[in-house]
Amino acid sequence: MLKITVRDGNDIRIIVEGKLASAWVDELRKCCRNVLSRSHPRNVLVDLADVSFVDAAGKNLLAGLAQPGIRLTSDDAAMDALVSDIVRGSYSQ
């Protein structure tokens, strides 16, 4: 199960909760495309604090999202490690 909430303010916050796996990866991809198509020039924050699992397809999606204007965040130790690897570019797809 995956829950995606979009909060629109000075920046756009995409809050992701649950498991980022399988068909849910495509749902997040669609949501991000929609947000990005209408967000410029505002920044987009992808909040992964409540994500409990990410499969390989989810990791690839997050790696693709790590670009200027999009910030991946988390406050969970395991997710922080994944986000750090992606942001540093050391996650290999």
Side-chain angles (χ1 to χ4, degrees):
M1 188 78 154
L2 185 73
K3 179 179 177 184
I4 303 168
T5 306
V6 178
R7 293 203 179 132
D8 201 345
N10 291 334
D11 293 332
I12 297 177
R13 179 181 289 263
I14 301 172
I15 302 165
V16 185
E17 301 171 78
K19 295 181 179 182
L20 183 54
S22 191
W24 301 118
V25 173
D26 287 332
E27 289 303 314
L28 181 58
R29 180 179 289 112
K30 289 175 193 173
C31 176
C32 289
R33 280 185 189 151
N34 183 33
V35 166
L36 292 171
S37 71
R38 61 183 172 84
S39 68
H40 298 288
R42 292 183 292 168
N43 289 323
V44 175
L45 175 73
V46 180
D47 184 341
L48 304 167
D50 291 320
V51 172
S52 59
F53 175 78
V54 182
D55 71 0
K59 291 174 185 176
N60 288 335
L61 172 61
L62 295 176
L65 289 174
Q67 57 186 309
I70 300 175
R71 191 169 57 130
L72 306 176
T73 67
S74 174
D75 63 3
D76 174 77
M79 192 57 60
D80 276 347
L82 175 62
V83 168
S84 292
D85 286 348
I86 289 171
V87 170
R88 285 192 321 263
S90 60
Y91 168 72
S92 58
Q93 298 182 21

mmCIF file of all heavy atoms in Angstrom, residues 19-41:
data_model
loop_
_atom_site.group_PDB
_atom_site.id
_atom_site.type_symbol
_atom_site.label_atom_id
_atom_site.label_comp_id
_atom_site.label_asym_id
_atom_site.label_seq_id
_atom_site.Cartn_x
_atom_site.Cartn_y
_atom_site.Cartn_z
ATOM 1 N N LYS A 19 4.856 1.433 1.184
ATOM 2 C CA LYS A 19 5.857 0.681 0.438
ATOM 3 C C LYS A 19 5.925 1.173 -0.999
ATOM 4 O O LYS A 19 4.930 1.157 -1.715
ATOM 5 C CB LYS A 19 5.521 -0.803 0.459
ATOM 6 C CG LYS A 19 5.593 -1.395 1.849
ATOM 7 C CD LYS A 19 5.284 -2.862 1.849
ATOM 8 C CE LYS A 19 5.394 -3.397 3.275
ATOM 9 N NZ LYS A 19 5.157 -4.837 3.335
ATOM 10 N N LEU A 20 7.119 1.604 -1.390
ATOM 11 C CA LEU A 20 7.348 2.064 -2.758
ATOM 12 C C LEU A 20 7.859 0.867 -3.553
ATOM 13 O O LEU A 20 9.063 0.625 -3.660
ATOM 14 C CB LEU A 20 8.354 3.221 -2.769
ATOM 15 C CG LEU A 20 8.655 3.860 -4.116
ATOM 16 C CD1 LEU A 20 7.388 4.302 -4.817
ATOM 17 C CD2 LEU A 20 9.610 5.021 -3.942
ATOM 18 N N ALA A 21 6.921 0.088 -4.067
ATOM 19 C CA ALA A 21 7.263 -1.154 -4.748
ATOM 20 C C ALA A 21 6.208 -1.478 -5.801
ATOM 21 O O ALA A 21 5.070 -1.014 -5.722
ATOM 22 C CB ALA A 21 7.337 -2.299 -3.734
ATOM 23 N N SER A 22 6.617 -2.255 -6.786
ATOM 24 C CA SER A 22 5.722 -2.811 -7.788
ATOM 25 C C SER A 22 4.908 -1.726 -8.492
ATOM 26 O O SER A 22 5.455 -0.721 -8.924
ATOM 27 C CB SER A 22 4.845 -3.867 -7.116
ATOM 28 O OG SER A 22 4.136 -4.616 -8.058
ATOM 29 N N ALA A 23 3.606 -1.920 -8.584
ATOM 30 C CA ALA A 23 2.732 -0.984 -9.307
ATOM 31 C C ALA A 23 2.700 0.399 -8.667
ATOM 32 O O ALA A 23 2.417 1.392 -9.336
ATOM 33 C CB ALA A 23 1.318 -1.548 -9.384
ATOM 34 N N TRP A 24 3.031 0.478 -7.376
ATOM 35 C CA TRP A 24 3.003 1.776 -6.684
ATOM 36 C C TRP A 24 4.093 2.708 -7.197
ATOM 37 O O TRP A 24 3.961 3.927 -7.122
ATOM 38 C CB TRP A 24 3.122 1.576 -5.176
ATOM 39 C CG TRP A 24 2.014 0.731 -4.630
ATOM 40 C CD1 TRP A 24 2.141 -0.476 -3.999
ATOM 41 C CD2 TRP A 24 0.608 0.992 -4.677
ATOM 42 N NE1 TRP A 24 0.917 -0.960 -3.661
ATOM 43 C CE2 TRP A 24 -0.050 -0.079 -4.068
ATOM 44 C CE3 TRP A 24 -0.161 2.036 -5.197
ATOM 45 C CZ2 TRP A 24 -1.430 -0.140 -3.954
ATOM 46 C CZ3 TRP A 24 -1.534 1.974 -5.088
ATOM 47 C CH2 TRP A 24 -2.148 0.897 -4.471
ATOM 48 N N VAL A 25 5.157 2.145 -7.739
ATOM 49 C CA VAL A 25 6.232 2.963 -8.311
ATOM 50 C C VAL A 25 5.673 3.777 -9.474
ATOM 51 O O VAL A 25 5.946 4.974 -9.592
ATOM 52 C CB VAL A 25 7.421 2.084 -8.755
ATOM 53 C CG1 VAL A 25 8.464 2.905 -9.497
ATOM 54 C CG2 VAL A 25 8.036 1.384 -7.548
ATOM 55 N N ASP A 26 4.858 3.146 -10.320
ATOM 56 C CA ASP A 26 4.261 3.861 -11.446
ATOM 57 C C ASP A 26 3.315 4.958 -10.973
ATOM 58 O O ASP A 26 3.230 6.018 -11.596
ATOM 59 C CB ASP A 26 3.521 2.898 -12.375
ATOM 60 C CG ASP A 26 4.476 2.038 -13.187
ATOM 61 O OD1 ASP A 26 5.609 2.500 -13.456
ATOM 62 O OD2 ASP A 26 4.098 0.912 -13.556
ATOM 63 N N GLU A 27 2.607 4.717 -9.874
ATOM 64 C CA GLU A 27 1.709 5.744 -9.342
ATOM 65 C C GLU A 27 2.488 6.968 -8.876
ATOM 66 O O GLU A 27 2.092 8.102 -9.144
ATOM 67 C CB GLU A 27 0.861 5.183 -8.197
ATOM 68 C CG GLU A 27 -0.184 4.197 -8.646
ATOM 69 C CD GLU A 27 -1.138 4.758 -9.686
ATOM 70 O OE1 GLU A 27 -1.639 5.897 -9.505
ATOM 71 O OE2 GLU A 27 -1.384 4.065 -10.685
ATOM 72 N N LEU A 28 3.594 6.740 -8.193
ATOM 73 C CA LEU A 28 4.422 7.869 -7.758
ATOM 74 C C LEU A 28 5.038 8.574 -8.963
ATOM 75 O O LEU A 28 5.113 9.799 -9.005
ATOM 76 C CB LEU A 28 5.511 7.424 -6.779
ATOM 77 C CG LEU A 28 6.409 8.546 -6.254
ATOM 78 C CD1 LEU A 28 5.595 9.638 -5.554
ATOM 79 C CD2 LEU A 28 7.468 7.983 -5.316
ATOM 80 N N ARG A 29 5.459 7.814 -9.956
ATOM 81 C CA ARG A 29 6.026 8.397 -11.178
ATOM 82 C C ARG A 29 5.002 9.322 -11.844
ATOM 83 O O ARG A 29 5.316 10.460 -12.209
ATOM 84 C CB ARG A 29 6.459 7.307 -12.153
ATOM 85 C CG ARG A 29 7.058 7.836 -13.441
ATOM 86 C CD ARG A 29 7.503 6.727 -14.387
ATOM 87 N NE ARG A 29 8.689 6.074 -13.859
ATOM 88 C CZ ARG A 29 8.720 4.821 -13.413
ATOM 89 N NH1 ARG A 29 7.644 4.059 -13.444
ATOM 90 N NH2 ARG A 29 9.839 4.299 -12.949
ATOM 91 N N LYS A 30 3.758 8.863 -11.982
ATOM 92 C CA LYS A 30 2.689 9.672 -12.592
ATOM 93 C C LYS A 30 2.437 10.932 -11.776
ATOM 94 O O LYS A 30 2.278 12.022 -12.335
ATOM 95 C CB LYS A 30 1.407 8.862 -12.706
ATOM 96 C CG LYS A 30 1.452 7.768 -13.730
ATOM 97 C CD LYS A 30 0.177 6.944 -13.680
ATOM 98 C CE LYS A 30 0.318 5.659 -14.458
ATOM 99 N NZ LYS A 30 -0.855 4.780 -14.277
ATOM 100 N N CYS A 31 2.388 10.782 -10.466
ATOM 101 C CA CYS A 31 2.159 11.929 -9.587
ATOM 102 C C CYS A 31 3.276 12.953 -9.750
ATOM 103 O O CYS A 31 3.020 14.150 -9.890
ATOM 104 C CB CYS A 31 2.058 11.465 -8.141
ATOM 105 S SG CYS A 31 1.887 12.813 -6.960
ATOM 106 N N CYS A 32 4.515 12.492 -9.748
ATOM 107 C CA CYS A 32 5.659 13.404 -9.885
ATOM 108 C C CYS A 32 5.656 14.098 -11.231
ATOM 109 O O CYS A 32 5.931 15.298 -11.313
ATOM 110 C CB CYS A 32 6.962 12.645 -9.661
ATOM 111 S SG CYS A 32 7.207 12.151 -7.942
ATOM 112 N N ARG A 33 5.341 13.371 -12.290
ATOM 113 C CA ARG A 33 5.272 13.998 -13.616
ATOM 114 C C ARG A 33 4.228 15.108 -13.629
ATOM 115 O O ARG A 33 4.456 16.179 -14.181
ATOM 116 C CB ARG A 33 4.919 12.956 -14.679
ATOM 117 C CG ARG A 33 6.072 12.128 -15.120
ATOM 118 C CD ARG A 33 5.668 11.218 -16.251
ATOM 119 N NE ARG A 33 6.722 10.280 -16.535
ATOM 120 C CZ ARG A 33 6.537 9.071 -17.020
ATOM 121 N NH1 ARG A 33 5.315 8.643 -17.292
ATOM 122 N NH2 ARG A 33 7.544 8.287 -17.259
ATOM 123 N N ASN A 34 3.071 14.820 -13.041
ATOM 124 C CA ASN A 34 2.001 15.810 -12.984
ATOM 125 C C ASN A 34 2.443 17.043 -12.206
ATOM 126 O O ASN A 34 2.265 18.174 -12.657
ATOM 127 C CB ASN A 34 0.756 15.180 -12.350
ATOM 128 C CG ASN A 34 -0.407 16.126 -12.320
ATOM 129 O OD1 ASN A 34 -0.582 16.959 -13.198
ATOM 130 N ND2 ASN A 34 -1.219 16.002 -11.286
ATOM 131 N N VAL A 35 3.039 16.822 -11.030
ATOM 132 C CA VAL A 35 3.496 17.936 -10.202
ATOM 133 C C VAL A 35 4.583 18.724 -10.920
ATOM 134 O O VAL A 35 4.548 19.954 -10.957
ATOM 135 C CB VAL A 35 3.994 17.431 -8.826
ATOM 136 C CG1 VAL A 35 4.770 18.498 -8.089
ATOM 137 C CG2 VAL A 35 2.828 16.935 -7.994
ATOM 138 N N LEU A 36 5.548 18.044 -11.502
ATOM 139 C CA LEU A 36 6.663 18.723 -12.165
ATOM 140 C C LEU A 36 6.199 19.509 -13.389
ATOM 141 O O LEU A 36 6.755 20.563 -13.701
ATOM 142 C CB LEU A 36 7.745 17.724 -12.552
ATOM 143 C CG LEU A 36 8.488 17.091 -11.378
ATOM 144 C CD1 LEU A 36 9.377 15.970 -11.860
ATOM 145 C CD2 LEU A 36 9.269 18.128 -10.611
ATOM 146 N N SER A 37 5.177 19.030 -14.060
ATOM 147 C CA SER A 37 4.703 19.732 -15.256
ATOM 148 C C SER A 37 4.047 21.059 -14.913
ATOM 149 O O SER A 37 3.965 21.948 -15.745
ATOM 150 C CB SER A 37 3.716 18.852 -16.030
ATOM 151 O OG SER A 37 2.494 18.732 -15.335
ATOM 152 N N ARG A 38 3.616 21.222 -13.665
ATOM 153 C CA ARG A 38 2.940 22.463 -13.284
ATOM 154 C C ARG A 38 3.661 23.242 -12.190
ATOM 155 O O ARG A 38 3.181 24.273 -11.752
ATOM 156 C CB ARG A 38 1.513 22.174 -12.841
ATOM 157 C CG ARG A 38 1.401 21.273 -11.635
ATOM 158 C CD ARG A 38 -0.053 20.977 -11.293
ATOM 159 N NE ARG A 38 -0.158 19.979 -10.272
ATOM 160 C CZ ARG A 38 -0.075 20.214 -8.976
ATOM 161 N NH1 ARG A 38 0.100 21.428 -8.540
ATOM 162 N NH2 ARG A 38 -0.177 19.229 -8.103
ATOM 163 N N SER A 39 4.825 22.784 -11.756
ATOM 164 C CA SER A 39 5.470 23.374 -10.585
ATOM 165 C C SER A 39 6.505 24.450 -10.887
ATOM 166 O O SER A 39 6.861 25.202 -10.006
ATOM 167 C CB SER A 39 6.137 22.297 -9.746
ATOM 168 O OG SER A 39 7.230 21.757 -10.438
ATOM 169 N N HIS A 40 7.018 24.484 -12.069
ATOM 170 C CA HIS A 40 8.139 25.380 -12.346
ATOM 171 C C HIS A 40 7.740 26.827 -12.154
ATOM 172 O O HIS A 40 6.672 27.217 -12.560
ATOM 173 C CB HIS A 40 8.678 25.125 -13.750
ATOM 174 C CG HIS A 40 9.208 23.731 -13.895
ATOM 175 N ND1 HIS A 40 10.380 23.320 -13.306
ATOM 176 C CD2 HIS A 40 8.712 22.638 -14.513
ATOM 177 C CE1 HIS A 40 10.583 22.050 -13.573
ATOM 178 N NE2 HIS A 40 9.585 21.614 -14.304
ATOM 179 N N PRO A 41 8.539 27.654 -11.501
ATOM 180 C CA PRO A 41 9.918 27.439 -11.076
ATOM 181 C C PRO A 41 10.048 27.029 -9.618
ATOM 182 O O PRO A 41 11.126 27.080 -9.061
ATOM 183 C CB PRO A 41 10.558 28.797 -11.303
ATOM 184 C CG PRO A 41 9.464 29.754 -10.971
ATOM 185 C CD PRO A 41 8.185 29.060 -11.427
#
